[in-house]
Amino acid sequence: MKSQKEVLDAIQQAVDMNPNLTLDDIQALAQQKIQQHNHSPNADLCGLSPAQMANWLYDPFDELAGVNICTPDDLSASPVMRYLTLILDEAMQQGGSFKATTKGNLPTSLVKQACNLLPEFAVSQYETDISISEFAGSNEDKFNALHYTRVLAEMSGIIYRRSGRYHVKKTAQKQYQRDGINAFFLPMLKTVITEYNWGYLDGWEEDIDLRTFWVFMLWRLQYHHSIDQLIEEMATAFPKLLHQFKPREYNSPIQSLSSLIEVRFLSRFLQYWGFITLPPGRFRAADEPERKADIQPLLAQTFQFAI
């Protein structure tokens, strides 16, 4: 890597200029240069230091530096949290559980209630064909955002299915009665970042885990709102990502990266949660203006960066 070579060159130059350095001196010098490099801004990382980037890529959800993650007071604009509310209310009205379909899905009456919420969400401005909507469907299998919510709720330990019924865990019932839907916002968010497979609802061949880069992508998108600039910044900061895509006749590696980010990060994460809405259309022509994500209030209410 270029940055590693720069550090090695700096150490070599210092040694060449000081031929009387002992081995201990050289080791101390190398440590100093490495520390200096790790905590210095890097243009390829949009001004982040390698140390800051490493924290965002590899540290646990609860130990991220430079970003404060909060629960907004009002979650009514979030499809995921509204769908979860429907699921919990359905169970609470029936003593803590409700009957699943024979296939193990949510009942059609609940699916219909979830469909009826669409006009209340910002994404409804782009919903022109209900048959291909992510936010509506005749059953759970045809309603991606609702199915996603149910899966997250199970993975988060809020609900479980047993003997043909969906149950809300006793502890979750108490939390819901005491704190409302807000009690589950951060646990659900942590689950989608650390456990949920972002490729679950798509058919991509490449096994590229975009969850690793979620904080960096969120930071950049919140800063400039540009989808195209986000893709360019990802390709610059993590060029090895482009090498992970198989050759395709009609798509360049950066176009493939763009599609993956749009589907897995922008659409089926940020848009499902009500953090952004996306204009229709996957790619823009050369003479069209750059595509922007419509940033929703929930994004800034949830994530505050101090970088």
Side-chain angles (χ1 to χ4, degrees), residues 223-270:
Y223 177 74
H224 52 57
H225 304 186
S226 172
I227 297 170
D228 303 302
Q229 189 172 337
L230 170 63
I231 306 306
E232 293 173 3
E233 290 167 345
M234 281 289 290
T236 299
F238 311 105
K240 290 183 178 179
L241 280 177
L242 300 179
H243 303 312
Q244 296 185 47
F245 291 98
K246 296 178 181 179
R248 289 182 169 84
E249 184 176 357
Y250 299 108
N251 273 4
S252 65
I254 198 164
Q255 285 177 316
S256 294
L257 176 63
S258 177
S259 295
L260 196 69
I261 288 173
E262 287 184 47
V263 170
R264 292 186 177 178
F265 176 66
L266 298 176
S267 176
R268 290 177 174 164
F269 173 30
L270 300 189

Side-chain angles (χ1 to χ4, degrees), residues 7-17:
V7 174
L8 292 174
D9 288 346
I11 296 171
Q12 186 61 56
Q13 183 179 17
V15 171
D16 292 343
M17 294 175 63

